[in-house]
Amino acid sequence: MTSRLRVSFAIAAIMLCGRAAAQDLPAQDPPGMKNWFGDPFFQLTRQIDSCPQPLGPLMSEDEALRYSHHRAERGTRCYQEKRCRLPSSYDYDREIAARIQSDVAEKRLPLPRSTLWVLVQGRRVWIQGCVAPGYRRGALSAKLKRVPDVELAMEEVRIGAGGAIPYRTR
């Protein structure tokens, strides 16, 4: 085998390995978008293939600047009004996210057949994604409201394969 042929095989093998590895990587953030505030956002279930991923906490720098005052005010108001034990309502988010993940893993929070993501922001929880037909709207948010320190839980889900996606997608 000539050295040129060996080099060609090596390049082809590297390209194939790169393609296979890229298929396993998570989707890249859209250009100029990022999770500026570090809000917990994670996938909870993965049983419906055709469900598009929510945009979640990703936003442009301009959007982050617009939201920053509201977040600062909302975060501290909770403490000032003595509704929060921590100085900011956003200080609860990682703990709430960990509790949701733990409750699902330990079967304390049963879920329907679904593909779901969770976003936690300032003691508020959004559950977004797709659920199988027969799901009773409101059941997920009712379960999440029972998680300690959750102030408000909202669901934005598509039931079944048809219909509009009720959230911003990547």
Side-chain angles (χ1 to χ4, degrees):
M1 188 181 290
T2 68
S3 62
R4 279 190 178 167
L5 191 55
R6 279 190 214 130
V7 169
S8 295
F9 279 132
I11 290 172
I14 290 169
M15 290 176 67
L16 283 173
C17 289
R19 278 195 192 126
Q23 290 173 353
D24 292 336
L25 294 175
Q28 294 290 324
D29 292 346
M33 305 284 273
K34 71 183 211 179
N35 184 353
W36 294 91
F37 302 106
D39 296 323
F41 179 66
F42 53 93
Q43 188 163 14
L44 203 55
T45 60
R46 185 177 302 163
Q47 299 162 326
I48 299 174
D49 293 334
S50 62
C51 191
Q53 182 176 358
L55 190 57
L58 299 180
M59 61 181 71
S60 69
E61 186 175 7
D62 287 342
E63 287 175 300
L65 289 171
R66 281 196 307 271
Y67 286 118
S68 62
H69 175 77
H70 167 75
R71 287 177 67 101
E73 183 179 316
R74 184 186 172 327
T76 56
R77 187 177 336 120
C78 178
Y79 184 72
Q80 291 169 341
E81 293 174 353
K82 301 193 183 337
R83 293 183 294 115
C84 292
R85 69 186 189 306
L86 300 176
S88 172
S89 60
Y90 295 93
D91 291 344
Y92 294 84
D93 293 352
R94 292 196 192 312
E95 186 179 315
I96 290 170
R99 194 171 292 124
I100 291 169
Q101 289 172 315
S102 170
D103 286 355
V104 168
E106 295 176 19
K107 308 284 190 245
R108 289 187 303 260
L109 183 63
L111 298 173
R113 187 174 159 286
S114 58
T115 294
L116 298 169
W117 289 265
V118 172
L119 170 63
V120 185
Q121 291 178 324
R123 298 179 59 209
R124 296 177 177 180
V125 178
W126 282 264
I127 190 155
Q128 300 171 318
C130 305
V131 292
Y135 170 74
R136 188 175 47 84
R137 200 168 286 285
L140 290 169
S141 58
K143 290 175 184 178
L144 289 171
K145 285 178 188 173
R146 291 192 295 263
V147 173
D149 295 319
V150 170
E151 177 182 40
L152 184 64
M154 294 150 288
E155 65 180 50
E156 298 173 334
V157 296
R158 176 180 71 186
I159 300 173
I165 299 295
Y167 51 84
R168 292 173 43 190
T169 60
R170 289 177 75 100

